[in-house]
Amino acid sequence: MGLHGGITMADAKSRVALVETEDRKTGVLTSIKTLGINPARNKDVLIKPNFNTADPAPGSTHNDTLVSLVEAVWEMGAKSIRLGERSYPPTREVMEQKGIIPLMNKLDVRIIDFDDLEGKDWVEVKPEDSHWKDGFRVARPILEAECLISTCCLKTHQYGGVFTLSLKLHVGVVPTSRHGFQYMRELHGSARQQEMIAEINAPFKPDLIVMDGIEAFVDGGPMTGRRTRGNVFLASEDRVAMDAVGVAVLKSLGSNDKIMGTKIFEQRQIARAVELGLGAASSRQIEVVSAGNQSMAYRNRIVEVLDKG
């Protein structure tokens, strides 16, 4: 494991802030405040949402969550804010269906549609130790972001990913066949899809991740699924810790066999991310921080599930 703030990751604890709430603005603001970091001050910020499709939350990032996050980032003293995404259908169509473009214009946020990137701005990554047969490409704005903030949903994934939280969110930084590449075909056709999802995350690191778990898919997903109320927001700097706690929430809500029947750190997305040194290697390296007494009972339930695996 690499150095992190002068101490090894083995000695450090990754913090995940937890807020029990039914209100998205409260969830965004309180989770970030509880985490107690401000990576956005005087920075050019890039926000990566979950706009795989335009399906209602948790099929995609709720507009209220995105607006609240943008407002929070401006309050944190950001120099500029951009929104960057590559959707499964044409990205502009998804943003138009969701009404994102006028919302972002009003909030002085510049949209970067990754579909409009030139070939040179899909940067080739060829890791030595990878399940990708010939590496993959990543959108240059992600790699060069001065401050990267990712916001994800709480849901299962029926097409081989098992769950789609903060690690899988970043599949949207890799190009599709409409950009002239066959990476999505390779990914979805591979028996090692979960490991490949983790590997996409190795070339970059978000400075902040916010998860909207007010509504969750506990089966099906990522577009539609069996829906339940999670009534929780999470925030962290660590994608592995975020996904481990997210899977613990799914377990606590009662999910499908692939979630319920596998230990959290034995989930292959998480296990591969740990091998790559992307974050916490076990529940012992995660500190779940409650947003005050009102969230403590929820926090304690999730920590119990996390520790059991």
Side-chain angles (χ1 to χ4, degrees), residues 100-288:
I100 291 300
I101 296 166
L103 277 178
M104 294 300 99
N105 286 341
K106 186 177 178 184
L107 290 165
D108 196 22
V109 174
R110 179 184 160 216
I111 292 173
I112 305 177
D113 179 346
F114 292 170
D115 287 353
D116 294 337
L117 294 178
E118 297 180 20
K120 67 180 177 59
D121 290 323
W122 289 109
V123 179
E124 192 169 24
V125 178
K126 286 198 170 186
E128 288 182 15
D129 176 23
S130 174
H131 293 87
W132 292 87
K133 68 176 186 289
D134 195 29
F136 52 90
R137 283 173 168 79
V138 174
R140 187 181 299 277
I142 293 287
L143 297 176
E144 296 184 354
E146 191 175 18
C147 172
L148 176 61
I149 297 178
S150 298
T151 185
C152 53
C153 303
L154 178 64
K155 54 187 174 179
T156 50
H157 189 278
Q158 64 184 301
Y159 302 117
V162 180
F163 53 88
T164 175
L165 307 173
S166 71
L167 289 164
K168 184 137 190 351
L169 174 76
H170 295 112
V171 172
V173 309
V174 176
T176 70
S177 58
R178 68 176 177 270
H179 310 108
F181 303 104
Q182 299 303 318
Y183 298 122
M184 292 303 101
R185 181 173 293 178
E186 180 186 352
L187 177 68
H188 295 133
S190 174
R192 308 310 293 268
Q193 180 181 155
Q194 294 166 64
E195 288 85 354
M196 293 164 76
I197 289 164
E199 289 162 6
I200 288 168
N201 285 264
F204 59 90
K205 182 185 182 301
D207 298 280
L208 171 65
I209 310 143
V210 177
M211 181 187 291
D212 176 354
I214 287 184
E215 294 171 280
F217 291 148
V218 291
D219 196 19
M223 299 167 283
T224 59
R226 179 155 61 90
R227 182 185 296 267
T228 192
R229 298 286 293 187
N231 292 335
V232 69
F233 258 76
L234 304 174
S236 185
E237 299 172 272
D238 181 335
R239 288 161 288 184
V240 183
M242 174 65 86
D243 281 20
V245 175
V247 172
V249 175
L250 288 173
K251 282 178 176 276
S252 77
L253 295 173
S255 191
N256 61 33
D257 290 345
K258 288 182 178 178
I259 296 292
M260 304 303 290
T262 304
K263 295 282 190 182
I264 292 171
F265 277 86
E266 291 174 8
Q267 289 284 357
R268 284 159 46 203
Q269 271 192 63
I270 290 175
R272 181 62 178 139
V274 169
E275 287 177 358
L276 292 168
L278 300 185
S282 71
S283 63
R284 294 185 301 277
Q285 292 182 13
I286 300 173
E287 180 185 3
V288 183

Side-chain angles (χ1 to χ4, degrees), residues 47-55 57-67 70 83-101 103-104 111-112 115 151-153 155 164 169 172 178 222-223:
I47 296 177
K48 164 68 176 79
N50 180 356
F51 290 165
N52 184 53
T53 63
D55 291 276
S60 67
T61 300
H62 197 288
N63 287 10
D64 292 349
T65 297
L66 181 58
V67 168
V70 168
L83 182 77
E85 178 64 303
R86 187 276 294 159
S87 304
Y88 171 58
T91 306
R92 181 157 291 271
E93 288 181 14
V94 171
M95 291 193 184
E96 286 174 349
Q97 287 174 42
K98 287 182 61 64
I100 291 300
I101 296 166
L103 277 178
M104 294 300 99
I111 292 173
I112 305 177
D115 287 353
T151 185
C152 53
C153 303
K155 54 187 174 179
T164 175
L169 174 76
R178 68 176 177 270
M223 299 167 283

